[in-house]
PDB file of all heavy atoms in Angstrom:
ATOM      1  N   SER L  36       6.865  11.050  -4.068  1.00 96.00           N
ATOM      2  CA  SER L  36       5.820  11.467  -5.005  1.00 96.00           C
ATOM      3  C   SER L  36       4.530  10.772  -4.577  1.00 96.00           C
ATOM      4  O   SER L  36       4.505  10.080  -3.558  1.00 96.00           O
ATOM      5  CB  SER L  36       6.204  11.090  -6.444  1.00 96.00           C
ATOM      6  OG  SER L  36       6.093   9.692  -6.647  1.00 96.00           O
ATOM      7  N   ASP L  38       3.269   8.245  -5.891  1.00 95.00           N
ATOM      8  CA  ASP L  38       3.317   6.814  -6.170  1.00 95.00           C
ATOM      9  C   ASP L  38       4.635   6.126  -5.842  1.00 95.00           C
ATOM     10  O   ASP L  38       4.686   4.905  -5.802  1.00 95.00           O
ATOM     11  CB  ASP L  38       3.019   6.559  -7.651  1.00 95.00           C
ATOM     12  CG  ASP L  38       1.615   6.949  -8.027  1.00 95.00           C
ATOM     13  OD1 ASP L  38       0.679   6.375  -7.448  1.00 95.00           O
ATOM     14  OD2 ASP L  38       1.443   7.816  -8.897  1.00 95.00           O
ATOM     15  N   GLN L  39       5.702   6.889  -5.664  1.00 96.00           N
ATOM     16  CA  GLN L  39       7.018   6.308  -5.425  1.00 96.00           C
ATOM     17  C   GLN L  39       7.739   7.081  -4.328  1.00 96.00           C
ATOM     18  O   GLN L  39       7.492   8.268  -4.133  1.00 96.00           O
ATOM     19  CB  GLN L  39       7.866   6.342  -6.699  1.00 96.00           C
ATOM     20  CG  GLN L  39       7.260   5.565  -7.833  1.00 96.00           C
ATOM     21  CD  GLN L  39       8.046   5.717  -9.125  1.00 96.00           C
ATOM     22  OE1 GLN L  39       8.807   6.655  -9.307  1.00 96.00           O
ATOM     23  NE2 GLN L  39       7.849   4.781 -10.038  1.00 96.00           N
ATOM     24  N   CYS L  40       8.641   6.387  -3.650  1.00 97.00           N
ATOM     25  CA  CYS L  40       9.412   7.011  -2.584  1.00 97.00           C
ATOM     26  C   CYS L  40      10.793   6.360  -2.528  1.00 97.00           C
ATOM     27  O   CYS L  40      10.912   5.145  -2.680  1.00 97.00           O
ATOM     28  CB  CYS L  40       8.689   6.833  -1.242  1.00 97.00           C
ATOM     29  SG  CYS L  40       9.550   7.575   0.160  1.00 97.00           S
ATOM     30  N   PHE L  48      10.212   2.391  -2.271  1.00 98.00           N
ATOM     31  CA  PHE L  48       8.817   2.106  -1.959  1.00 98.00           C
ATOM     32  C   PHE L  48       7.919   2.459  -3.141  1.00 98.00           C
ATOM     33  O   PHE L  48       8.198   3.396  -3.881  1.00 98.00           O
ATOM     34  CB  PHE L  48       8.351   2.948  -0.763  1.00 98.00           C
ATOM     35  CG  PHE L  48       9.232   2.834   0.437  1.00 98.00           C
ATOM     36  CD1 PHE L  48      10.316   3.694   0.612  1.00 98.00           C
ATOM     37  CD2 PHE L  48       9.001   1.866   1.404  1.00 98.00           C
ATOM     38  CE1 PHE L  48      11.129   3.602   1.721  1.00 98.00           C
ATOM     39  CE2 PHE L  48       9.813   1.769   2.522  1.00 98.00           C
ATOM     40  CZ  PHE L  48      10.882   2.628   2.676  1.00 98.00           C
ATOM     41  N   TRP L  69       1.922   1.766   1.377  1.00 98.00           N
ATOM     42  CA  TRP L  69       3.273   1.774   0.830  1.00 98.00           C
ATOM     43  C   TRP L  69       3.926   0.422   1.100  1.00 98.00           C
ATOM     44  O   TRP L  69       3.763  -0.144   2.181  1.00 98.00           O
ATOM     45  CB  TRP L  69       4.086   2.888   1.468  1.00 98.00           C
ATOM     46  CG  TRP L  69       3.603   4.234   1.041  1.00 98.00           C
ATOM     47  CD1 TRP L  69       2.633   4.990   1.643  1.00 98.00           C
ATOM     48  CD2 TRP L  69       4.047   4.985  -0.089  1.00 98.00           C
ATOM     49  NE1 TRP L  69       2.447   6.154   0.949  1.00 98.00           N
ATOM     50  CE2 TRP L  69       3.313   6.180  -0.118  1.00 98.00           C
ATOM     51  CE3 TRP L  69       5.002   4.744  -1.082  1.00 98.00           C
ATOM     52  CZ2 TRP L  69       3.502   7.150  -1.100  1.00 98.00           C
ATOM     53  CZ3 TRP L  69       5.184   5.709  -2.060  1.00 98.00           C
ATOM     54  CH2 TRP L  69       4.444   6.899  -2.060  1.00 98.00           C
ATOM     55  N   TRP L  84       6.828   1.954 -15.716  1.00 94.00           N
ATOM     56  CA  TRP L  84       5.755   2.780 -15.160  1.00 94.00           C
ATOM     57  C   TRP L  84       4.733   3.224 -16.202  1.00 94.00           C
ATOM     58  O   TRP L  84       3.529   3.181 -15.965  1.00 94.00           O
ATOM     59  CB  TRP L  84       6.348   3.990 -14.431  1.00 94.00           C
ATOM     60  CG  TRP L  84       5.410   4.515 -13.413  1.00 94.00           C
ATOM     61  CD1 TRP L  84       4.627   5.631 -13.507  1.00 94.00           C
ATOM     62  CD2 TRP L  84       5.124   3.942 -12.131  1.00 94.00           C
ATOM     63  NE1 TRP L  84       3.876   5.791 -12.374  1.00 94.00           N
ATOM     64  CE2 TRP L  84       4.164   4.755 -11.505  1.00 94.00           C
ATOM     65  CE3 TRP L  84       5.595   2.816 -11.472  1.00 94.00           C
ATOM     66  CZ2 TRP L  84       3.673   4.485 -10.242  1.00 94.00           C
ATOM     67  CZ3 TRP L  84       5.101   2.549 -10.206  1.00 94.00           C
ATOM     68  CH2 TRP L  84       4.148   3.385  -9.601  1.00 94.00           C
TER      69      TRP L  84
END
Side-chain angles (χ1 to χ4, degrees):
S36 73
D38 295 300
Q39 299 175 339
C40 180
F48 307 90
W69 291 89
W84 204 257

